[in-house]
Amino acid sequence: MNPRTSVKVPADASPRTRSRYRDADMMAVTAFVLGLVGLLVMNLVLGPIAVVLGSLALWRQTARPGRARLGIALGVADLVVLACLVTADHTWSWSLT
């Protein structure tokens, strides 16, 4: 077991297998960050990317499933915010003026 994660990585695992788990962890973190940033800017782009990365991280059995789920939730929230702004302003862009 990797001491920093809860995922059981065999001691004799190939570098490719270890890389797969590390990539899944990075996908979870990236999904969370992109979902969070997407609430402020570029909702249309960052929201779906956060949802896809979070889903891929869960599918690859990340050691950070909570962060992956938060990334998915924030990605969906990005799209909800975008939908609210589009219906209120009748445009794909928004401004404070």
Side-chain angles (χ1 to χ4, degrees):
M1 181 177 294
N2 187 344
R4 295 184 340 184
T5 65
S6 61
V7 174
K8 292 182 180 180
V9 179
D12 60 344
S14 68
R16 185 174 181 175
T17 303
R18 290 180 191 273
S19 173
R20 180 177 179 221
Y21 287 112
R22 187 173 53 240
D23 289 347
D25 291 347
M26 292 307 295
M27 282 185 201
V29 172
T30 305
F32 175 74
V33 170
L34 290 179
L36 200 57
V37 172
L39 287 173
L40 302 174
V41 294
M42 295 176 38
N43 314 63
L44 184 62
V45 176
L46 296 180
I49 292 174
V51 170
V52 169
L53 284 176
S55 300
L56 282 173
L58 288 175
W59 184 68
R60 290 186 177 192
Q61 299 176 347
T62 181
R64 302 169 188 240
R67 201 160 287 165
R69 288 186 191 105
L70 276 173
I72 293 170
L74 286 170
V76 170
D78 292 348
L79 297 175
V80 169
V81 166
L82 179 66
C84 291
L85 291 172
V86 167
T87 56
D89 206 15
H90 302 294
T91 183
W92 287 99
S93 63
W94 58 278
S95 66
L96 298 176
T97 58

